[in-house]
Amino acid sequence: MNRFFIILISAVMFSQFSSAQEVKEVLAPFNKESRPAFSMQLNYSQKLVQEAVAKRFKDAKVKGKPSGKLMYYASAQYKDLCVNGTDVYTMVDGSSKVSTVYVYVVGSNGNFITGQDDQASCVKSFVSSLKGDVEALSLQNNIEAQKKEVKKAESNYKKLVDKKTKMEKDLKNLEKSIQQADNEREKQKGILEQMQNKAK
């Protein structure tokens, strides 16, 4: 039993350590230069991650504007990033399967925040939390896509049901016509028999 708890605690600690390692301090491209930033790689498309990051800032009512490949948030007031009137930049680079998000934060001294600054843990926490935003947006997009599939399937089902109803109606009419044709056949056969009997 003790061995089980040791393994469990080790797994939890490893998970927390792995999670902490997801966000990295890097020197990232910044208008043809390199500046300190915090990054995280995600197994999602560049487009999706860009949408999720933009939505996060928009929901927080922090307005930004494009600046080359960067999104620039001037004099941002954003407690999740521990910024109060300083500039923030974001960039998402990648492909249709994997992308990397970069967050650059300017400190009150005018320098970009690095791992040595007190604000670093706040920025890392923010970058790490973006994963949840991306996952939520991905799920929402999948839900919307699935709704379309359900609507398509329901439409196809309705068409087949309508077709079945029509075919059943046609079959009923056909059976009625067959019965009428059979009655007419027997009638004409009877007339023929009567004529043949008279001819004998």
Side-chain angles (χ1 to χ4, degrees):
M1 183 65 79
N2 289 336
R3 186 166 177 265
F4 170 78
F5 281 114
I6 291 172
I7 293 172
L8 180 62
I9 292 170
S10 298
V12 170
M13 289 180 66
F14 178 78
S15 174
Q16 291 176 341
F17 178 76
S18 298
S19 177
Q21 293 300 308
E22 286 182 354
V23 179
K24 298 178 181 178
E25 181 189 358
V26 296
L27 279 175
F30 186 91
N31 294 335
K32 297 182 180 180
E33 298 180 4
S34 293
R35 289 287 183 270
F38 295 88
S39 72
M40 179 173 61
Q41 190 177 79
L42 296 161
N43 294 323
Y44 293 92
S45 71
Q46 181 183 11
K47 181 181 177 182
L48 179 70
V49 176
Q50 283 175 330
E51 288 178 5
V53 174
K55 184 178 184 301
R56 178 69 173 271
F57 280 87
K58 183 179 179 181
D59 290 348
K61 294 180 171 48
V62 180
K63 295 182 179 180
K65 63 180 181 179
S67 177
K69 290 186 176 180
L70 300 164
M71 277 298 294
Y72 173 43
Y73 301 89
S75 302
Q77 304 282 342
Y78 198 0
K79 64 179 183 179
D80 285 1
L81 267 169
C82 300
V83 294
N84 184 19
T86 58
D87 297 341
V88 176
Y89 300 83
T90 64
M91 182 177 72
V92 180
D93 191 22
S95 65
S96 60
K97 293 183 179 179
V98 180
S99 57
T100 303
V101 58
Y102 299 91
V103 177
Y104 313 73
V105 179
V106 179
S108 57
N109 59 3
N111 295 325
F112 286 84
I113 298 296
T114 69
Q116 306 303 314
D117 296 302
D118 294 338
Q119 201 174 330
S121 60
C122 187
V123 179
K124 284 183 179 180
S125 177
F126 173 82
V127 175
S128 180
S129 70
L130 290 174
K131 183 178 181 181
D133 293 65
V134 174
E135 289 173 346
L137 183 59
S138 176
L139 178 59
Q140 187 58 43
N141 288 349
N142 289 338
I143 288 172
E144 293 304 317
Q146 190 59 33
K147 282 181 180 178
K148 291 180 181 178
E149 289 298 321
V150 169
K151 188 175 180 180
K152 182 180 176 182
E154 286 178 341
S155 177
N156 187 50
Y157 171 78
K158 186 178 183 302
K159 285 179 182 177
L160 291 173
V161 169
D162 290 344
K163 185 176 181 180
K164 177 176 178 283
T165 301
K166 185 178 181 302
M167 289 177 71
E168 287 175 342
K169 184 178 179 181
D170 291 344
L171 179 60
K172 188 175 181 181
N173 290 335
L174 180 60
E175 287 175 343
K176 184 177 179 181
S177 296
I178 290 172
Q179 185 60 51
Q180 290 173 344
D182 186 42
N183 293 340
E184 183 64 19
R185 181 185 64 168
E186 292 300 323
K187 176 183 174 182
Q188 296 303 327
K189 281 172 65 177
I191 293 172
L192 175 60
E193 287 177 1
Q194 289 177 4
M195 289 180 176
Q196 287 174 336
N197 289 335
K198 285 182 181 179
K200 290 181 179 178

